[in-house]
Amino acid sequence: MGAGHHHGHSHGHGHDHGPADYGKAFAIGVALNTGFVVIEALAGFLYGSMALVADAGHNLSDVLSLLIAWGASALAKRPPSARFTYGLKSSSILAAMANAALLLVALGAITVETLRRLFDPAPVEPGPIMIVAAIGIVINTVTALMFMRGRKGDLNIRGAYLHMVADAAVSAGVVVAGLLIWLTGMAWIDPVTSLVIVAIIAVGTWGLLKDSVKMGLHAVPDGIDEGTVRDELAGMPGVTSVHDLQIWPMSTTETALTAHLVMPAGHPGDAFLHEVAERLHHRFGIEHATIQLETDPEACALHHDHVV
């Protein structure tokens, strides 16, 4: 950029901003749900319940999504390299997108089979269906609780949590459906329940897909206002203007920022960069801040807002 330009890169000190370790939760969740998928699918086909088969299909997608999320969580901890200078943190964003896509595929397959059953209802045995679904409520609730703490700060963990919560709700719906079939003898209640389940899961999946795509496109993370960040930087002592401000998610847990600050009086020292990093962390949760200091904005080719 030429003379008079200085670069600084700083993090807030004393903060653990790496992804939390959910390895044990993932292992337990995968083991419990894998065993339940086998039991539920067999029970669904044996007792003629499409609702159970739908739930088993969703549980199978949950197992795959947990494996994807687990793998991404492990990759996010790998150190940077000469080729991947940010490490593999963004793999968690790809995992969230993959989980949403996987859910949509599973929902489509279940919907097709459910519609076939709706127009050609088969005999259903409600007792065993209710027992199996009740087991599902317990398993999915236990798994969801293991991810509940991290659901607000990590989209990847939020995806795993939503999968488990949705499955617990699905299993509860199957129990209710079994009870209604037992009381009324109406077999069509089973596929209708399956369709309701699909609709509920689709709503949550759309939110996950939308958020993960925004992250993949490097949108400013939810909860951070670009204008407020710009004002915060412009209000620092000695700063006359801010340009080329970029804010984007490095992963489902970490946010990065780069900005050019115009300071005609010159570089104020490393303490200034440290203060900028601390403010960005405490006010906005931005951990990776790279600041370029300039004395003359016209000397920078990126000082115009339309230049990226």
Side-chain angles (χ1 to χ4, degrees), residues 63-220:
V63 172
L64 296 177
S65 70
L66 285 173
L67 289 172
I68 292 172
W70 192 2
S73 180
L75 289 175
K77 295 181 178 66
R78 296 186 63 176
S81 66
R83 179 172 292 275
F84 299 101
T85 54
Y86 273 131
L88 297 176
K89 298 177 184 295
S90 60
S91 61
S92 58
I93 299 175
L94 296 177
M97 296 175 68
N99 278 338
L102 183 64
L103 265 173
L104 290 176
V105 172
L107 291 178
I110 292 168
T111 299
V112 170
E113 178 60 20
T114 299
L115 289 174
R116 188 186 70 78
R117 287 290 189 96
L118 182 61
F119 293 104
D120 184 22
V124 177
E125 296 187 37
I129 291 173
M130 294 168 64
I131 294 173
V132 173
I135 296 172
I137 294 175
V138 175
I139 289 176
N140 289 302
T141 299
V142 168
T143 308
L145 289 174
M146 291 189 293
F147 293 108
M148 185 170 66
R149 181 169 56 88
R151 73 189 187 283
K152 293 183 179 180
D154 186 339
L155 190 65
N156 203 33
I157 299 301
R158 175 184 155 197
Y161 173 78
L162 287 177
H163 275 275
M164 297 300 106
V165 169
D167 264 355
V170 166
S171 295
V174 174
V175 171
V176 173
L179 178 60
L180 291 175
I181 294 170
W182 180 62
L183 293 174
T184 66
M186 297 178 180
W188 57 264
I189 292 176
D190 182 75
V192 167
T193 301
S194 180
L195 288 177
V196 172
I197 289 168
V198 167
I200 293 173
I201 297 171
V203 172
T205 301
W206 174 250
L208 178 63
L209 179 62
K210 182 176 64 176
D211 289 345
S212 60
V213 168
K214 285 195 298 184
M215 278 192 163
L217 293 175
H218 287 175
V220 176

Side-chain angles (χ1 to χ4, degrees), residues 11-12 15 17 276-287:
H11 304 288
H15 306 292
H17 56 267
V276 171
E278 285 293 315
R279 284 199 188 187
L280 291 173
H281 168 70
H282 288 294
R283 282 208 62 188
F284 308 105
I286 297 172
E287 295 287 359

Side-chain angles (χ1 to χ4, degrees), residues 37-50:
V37 163
V38 175
I39 295 172
E40 191 171 34
L42 289 175
F45 286 114
L46 182 62
Y47 299 110
S49 172
M50 193 57 216

Side-chain angles (χ1 to χ4, degrees), residues 2 24 35 114 168 232 236 247-248 275 294:
K24 184 176 181 180
T114 299
E232 180 74 17
M236 297 289 291
I247 309 169
W248 74 98
E275 183 182 356
E294 301 166 356

